Structures are given as structure tokens and as C-alpha cells.
Amino acid sequence: MKFSRPVSDVITVRSSCRSYREEPIEAQHRKIIEDILHREETGPFGNVPRFILVASSPGDGDALRGLGTYGFIKNPAAFIVGAVKNNHGHLEDYGYVMEKFILRATDIGIGSCWLGGSFKKSSFADKISPAAGEAVPAVVSLGYGLQNRTLVDSLVRFSAGSKKRKPWEEIFFHGKFSVPLSGIEAGDYAGPLEMLRRAPSASNKQPWRIVRVPEENIYHFFLERSSSYKISLKLIRAADLQRVDMGIGMCHFELTAREQGLRGIWKTTPPENIPVPAGTEYIVTWRGE
């Protein structure tokens, strides 16, 4: 994925946009988005989600109405709708690949907002026609954002705590979960970790927890579950968006690392010597060269 500026700049300027100008996406921008959506992108777990770009329609509001604050979207020009087979790591790969497309849209001046829920039986599912065994975990609204946020948009951001980011010492650790990782200790990986910290997440829960192996460029990615979020999953029967969030964070981390010339691969070998807190689960490991 190529960008017109450093990916860290794109990540920094991107924010969830829920209110859009009443105008369609320009033809040149639409072509760029459609071209990247037609590429087969494989996620770190080997899944290949498929995506389409669709213009917004009156029936979309009904599909979003049951998503709580996620449903407060005004005048979207279009949506990216995707489907992915229910395999190991499919939700992480869905978030990883979709976020690449969102960052490219941001790069050309298009606003976006992740909308997670249960879309298997909705107008969005009708547009992509999921096959047996495929999930539609989330869609993304697109459009040209309003220069000034609407009152509803501001209230939604306030309720979600969108401007509040957990500090490094609550997310990144050195050797074990009881020892915070400093930027100095992270060295060249301080940038990729900071861009991960800035990644969007459902209800701004920021579930990623990273443990670095001392003296090595090995980073173990864990998911810290939110008890309130698990309850909401059951109530609205939504996809496990915290796993999608992990994929989004992985995307930010890897894109920034590769742009800085840091090479590495994703592995799924759980560490044996790191005690894992209750409510936390291992996801994947980045092994830097």
C-alpha cells in the first residue's frame, strides 16, 4: 500500500467521521478506492477478506439503527462492505486489511468511520451476498467530512472517550505485565508502538497489550477483554470487534515498522514464560529481524 506522505502522518490525522457533506465521492477518488478494494490482500493469519464499495441507500439506516452510538451516521456517501470466511484469525485479518484501505482513503481526503455489529442479515449483507461460512463483521462509512463537527458527532465522541488514549505504561510492557516498557527501551520500535496506540477501537476500549522480549525485537500481542464489552456482545449478538481491533492495531504497527525499514514476520507461537493476567489472551507475535 503506497501513500503520498508518511503513514504516521496519515494515522495521526485520521479520526472517526460521522457527519459528511451531502455530495458523492468524486470519480477520481472512487476509482482509487475501487482499485485497492479489488486487490487480494492477505492478513497475517492467512485469510483473504473481500470488499466492495457501495453507494449509500435509504435502507442503510435500518441496518445501523440497532448499533447504539455506532448508528449515528449523517449523510454518508458510500460504504465499504466486506465478508470473510470463519477461519482462525479471520476477524483480526478483517480489521488488518480494512484498515489499510481506510488509511488510503484518509490519504486522499476522504473521511471514514468503523461501524461494527451484526450485519449477516441486513441490507449490507445483501450487497455483498456472503457465502455459507462467511461473516460480515463490520462496515465502514465514507464521505467528505464536515469542516465543523455536528453536536451529535461531538456527543458521540465524548461518550466513547475518543480523545482519551491510554498511556504507554498501561499498554506496553517489558518482559512481563508488571513492568512498563519505556520509549527508550523500545528503541526503533517506539514509532510503530505509538502508531498502534493511536489506532481506533470499538467504544475506545483499546484492548491491545504488548509485551516486548528484553534485548530482542520480539513483541507479543495480547488482547485484554473488557467485561462490559463481553456483555454487550451477547446482548446485540455482534461480531467480536475487539479481535477486529487487534487487527487494526497490527496494521498500524506493521505499516509504520516497514516504512522505517524494520523487517519482521508475524508468528503464532505463544510465549511460555510470561504469566498472563485473567481476562487477557494471546493473539500473535511480531518477530523483528
Side-chain angles (χ1 to χ4, degrees), residues 156-226:
V156 170
R157 285 178 59 81
F158 176 79
S159 65
S162 299
K163 290 186 177 181
K164 297 178 181 178
R165 290 284 166 198
K166 293 182 185 297
W168 267 58
E169 59 267 24
E170 292 184 23
I171 302 177
F172 307 130
F173 305 95
H174 199 201
K176 52 187 176 181
F177 281 91
S178 58
V179 180
L181 175 71
S182 70
I184 294 176
E185 291 167 330
D188 291 340
Y189 278 90
L193 289 171
E194 176 60 20
M195 292 304 104
L196 184 156
R197 192 179 74 92
R198 291 171 178 262
S201 59
S203 302
N204 200 37
K205 295 297 183 182
Q206 305 164 65
W208 33 80
R209 301 292 180 270
I210 317 300
V211 179
R212 183 199 175 193
V213 176
E215 309 303 326
E216 298 188 64
N217 290 325
I218 298 175
Y219 292 84
H220 298 297
F221 283 56
F222 295 84
L223 188 165
E224 183 179 279
R225 290 288 184 183
S226 165

Side-chain angles (χ1 to χ4, degrees), residues 114-174:
W114 275 93
L115 303 164
S118 179
F119 295 107
K120 190 64 183 288
K121 297 180 181 179
S122 70
S123 60
F124 293 110
D126 292 340
K127 293 168 182 175
I128 199 167
S129 300
E134 280 191 324
V136 184
V139 302
V140 169
S141 61
L142 296 177
Y144 300 108
L146 292 174
Q147 187 170 7
N148 297 315
R149 296 188 184 277
T150 65
L151 176 60
V152 171
D153 201 359
S154 298
L155 288 173
V156 170
R157 285 178 59 81
F158 176 79
S159 65
S162 299
K163 290 186 177 181
K164 297 178 181 178
R165 290 284 166 198
K166 293 182 185 297
W168 267 58
E169 59 267 24
E170 292 184 23
I171 302 177
F172 307 130
F173 305 95
H174 199 201

